[in-house]
Amino acid sequence: AAVRRAKAAGYDSLIARTMAEKGLPSQYFYLAFQESAFDPFACGPETSYGYAKGLWQFIPPTAREYNLKLGPHVDSRARDPDDERNDPAKATAAAAAYIRDLYKTDAQASGLLVMASYNWGATGVLRLIRTMPENPKERNFWALMEKHIDRVPAETYNYVFSIFAAAVIGENPALFGFDFENPLAGVQ
C-alpha cells in the first residue's frame, strides 16, 4: 500500500530525481518508506527533541538546520499544513542534503552507516565509528555491529535492516511474492 501511495503521489520520481541531484542512490526512497510509509503528514512519538514529522520524519532541530520552516503545531501531534516537514518536495530536498552531509562524516565508507546515523543521530554513530580502525574496509556497519552491538540501539539495528530488506525486495518484488513492480524502475 505504501509503495502504491508513493507512486500515485509521484514520490518515486521526486525522491529518485532529488537524490540523483545530490549524487545519491535512488534507493534512499526506502528510507522514506521506513520513516513514514510515504505519508507526508506522518508524526512520530514525542522525543526529547520534539515530534518528528513528514515523509522523512525530521525532528525540529534538524528541520531548522536544513531550512525547513516549522509550523504553529510544532509542539503537538496535530496536522500542520504550515510546517514544511509536511511538504514532500521541500522535505525531500532537505533529506537529500542531510544524507549528503552524513556521507561527508566518518560514516562515508558505508551507506548503512549513513542510514544508522539518520536514525540514531550522527553524534552517537560517529562516536562509535571513531573507536574503529581508519581503514574504510574495517570501518563499516558490520564491523560496528560486531564491536558495539551492546551500544547500538536495537531500533537502529532493526531500522537499517528494514530499509536494506525493502530495497532488496523492491528490486524484484515478484521474486518475494509481491504484486507490484519495482517502484524505481524507469523513474526519472
Side-chain angles (χ1 to χ4, degrees), residues 24-82:
L24 298 167
S26 61
Q27 285 75 16
Y28 278 108
F29 170 86
Y30 297 103
L31 194 147
F33 172 77
Q34 175 66 22
E35 288 289 346
S36 66
F38 303 112
D39 175 358
F41 288 98
C43 182
E46 186 174 17
T47 71
S48 59
Y49 299 102
Y51 291 96
K53 291 185 177 184
L55 282 180
W56 297 94
Q57 290 294 284
F58 278 107
I59 57 174
T62 309
R64 284 185 197 100
E65 182 178 348
Y66 287 90
N67 301 312
L68 294 174
K69 184 183 99 194
L70 302 175
H73 301 293
V74 66
D75 295 324
S76 78
R77 295 186 54 80
R79 270 193 178 210
D80 195 345
D82 294 329

Side-chain angles (χ1 to χ4, degrees), residues 107-129:
Q108 66 184 331
S110 168
L112 300 180
L113 288 174
V114 167
M115 287 185 265
S117 297
Y118 192 98
N119 174 257
W120 187 22
T123 304
V125 174
L126 294 176
R127 183 177 55 247
L128 297 181
I129 289 171

Side-chain angles (χ1 to χ4, degrees), residues 34 112 141-142 145 156-166:
Q34 175 66 22
L112 300 180
F141 181 76
W142 310 111
M145 294 311 298
T156 299
Y157 179 81
N158 293 332
Y159 175 88
V160 171
F161 280 104
S162 293
I163 295 169
F164 188 80

